[in-house]
Every structure is written in C-alpha cells, then in structure tokens.
Amino acid sequence: MKNALVLTALLTLTSLSLQAQKIATWKGGAPGHATEWNYPANWKENRVPNEFSQVIIPDVSASTFGNPVLDGEVVEIWSLQMFSGASLRIGKSARLIVTGQDSRAFMALQEGEVRPGNTANSLVFASR
C-alpha cells in the first residue's frame, strides 16, 4: 500500500512538471507557410505553442518578414510577449485566449491585429 502511494505521488509530480510553462519563440518564414501559427517550423523550438506556452513574438521584419497569423483557429496560450515592431494578425473566425496571471486574461474575439502598446508590458488590440 505504501509503495502504491509513493508511486502515485511520483506520477502526479511527473505529470505536473511535464505541463509547466515552456517558452515558444516565433521565427516565421517557413517556405510555403511563412505566417502560419500552427506550423511547427515557424517556431524556434519546432513545436506549436499550447495552453502552457509563454509565447514571444520578436520583430522579424528584418529577417523572415513573416509575422504570425491566426486564421480560423482557437488558440489558448499562457502568456504573450511582443517586441516593438512585431505584430500578430487574427482572422475573422480565429480566437486568441491568453490565460496566465501576468496577461490579465487577454482575449481577442474578433478580427484584428495585436501590437505592443505604449507602456511596458501592454498590448493593443485593433479590430478591423
């Protein structure tokens, strides 16, 4: 019985650590898929972000020219950090949900574009 409890505790701790937040950095520019959010090669880590991801979108205007586009999907991430010059376009039927405590539960529920705001750690969503 004691061994079963220890094994259960270890499995629980392992599953919690596997779901810890992970950085996901946009690079864009994958041939034929330059702006597709859900294309793994557009991410530095070669994996699409999920609800546990801390997403970073740098200014790629001098390299790949491929800012990310959400088009027709619902995406949930933990946090979103955008650098000056970066942008994220959200298509008509796409949704962006940012749930982490630092993001203040940001939701973009209509077509538009997310850009860095004028103050540190702020984002501006402009609908189209």
Side-chain angles (χ1 to χ4, degrees), residues 67-84:
N67 287 305
V69 174
L70 290 177
D71 195 23
E73 60 258 39
V74 176
V75 171
E76 184 175 335
I77 58 176
W78 180 255
S79 66
L80 177 62
Q81 178 183 8
M82 296 181 67
F83 288 86
S84 180

Side-chain angles (χ1 to χ4, degrees), residues 21 50-54 76-79 98-101 103:
Q21 285 80 38
N50 63 23
E51 66 271 19
F52 304 107
S53 298
Q54 296 175 336
E76 184 175 335
I77 58 176
W78 180 255
S79 66
V98 186
T99 59
Q101 62 190 40
S103 64

Side-chain angles (χ1 to χ4, degrees), residues 20-98:
Q21 285 80 38
K22 295 183 180 177
I23 302 280
T25 305
W26 177 260
K27 65 178 184 176
H33 306 275
T35 62
E36 290 179 34
W37 178 283
N38 281 326
Y39 196 74
N42 279 329
W43 297 94
K44 181 179 172 188
E45 300 77 15
N46 207 33
R47 62 178 157 68
V48 176
N50 63 23
E51 66 271 19
F52 304 107
S53 298
Q54 296 175 336
V55 174
I56 299 170
I57 303 177
D59 178 2
V60 294
S61 62
S63 57
T64 66
F65 305 105
N67 287 305
V69 174
L70 290 177
D71 195 23
E73 60 258 39
V74 176
V75 171
E76 184 175 335
I77 58 176
W78 180 255
S79 66
L80 177 62
Q81 178 183 8
M82 296 181 67
F83 288 86
S84 180
S87 70
L88 165 61
R89 190 174 66 77
I90 299 173
K92 282 185 181 181
S93 58
R95 302 288 181 259
L96 175 64
I97 304 166
V98 186

Side-chain angles (χ1 to χ4, degrees), residues 8-22 52:
T8 302
L10 286 174
L11 290 174
T12 302
L13 289 173
T14 301
S15 69
L16 289 175
S17 67
L18 291 175
Q19 295 181 12
Q21 285 80 38
K22 295 183 180 177
F52 304 107

